[in-house]
Amino acid sequence: DGAVTTWNLEAFLARQASVFATGKPIRETMENTHVERTGPLAGVRSDFTWTDGEVVRHGRLMLQLVRAGGAWKILALTFSYGE
């Protein structure tokens, strides 16, 4: 439907916790993963398959990262389910 949903970190983690608390067999596999790095910046994109019990959904995941204080930090996580 073209809708965009945004969550802050706490809301995202709460949503993930509620999904896993259902007890359904949940699995996410990633493939065709590409990492691009320039100095302290990196981008990752990957196709994924999310399986939630009987439901199987395919999509694309993208991450933006920055290296700060000797560690990689996630700046943004975006994903979309295929049409």
Side-chain angles (χ1 to χ4, degrees):
D1 68 357
V4 174
T5 303
T6 60
W7 297 292
N8 63 23
L9 179 59
E10 292 78 19
F12 176 77
L13 293 176
R15 183 176 184 276
Q16 292 296 96
S18 69
V19 170
F20 284 99
T22 65
K24 292 181 186 176
I26 295 172
R27 179 176 136 146
E28 184 175 24
T29 56
M30 302 177 92
E31 56 190 4
N32 301 321
T33 301
H34 301 277
V35 178
E36 229 179 280
R37 181 178 164 199
T38 304
L41 301 177
V44 179
R45 76 174 191 270
S46 186
D47 297 330
F48 68 86
T49 302
W50 172 267
T51 306
D52 178 355
E54 300 287 322
V55 178
V56 176
R57 298 177 79 185
H58 302 279
R60 165 75 50 93
L61 171 97
M62 300 175 85
L63 296 166
Q64 291 180 324
L65 302 105
V66 65
R67 187 163 178 86
W72 286 100
K73 312 269 183 174
I74 299 171
L75 296 176
L77 161 68
T78 57
F79 62 92
S80 176
Y81 292 104
E83 297 180 29

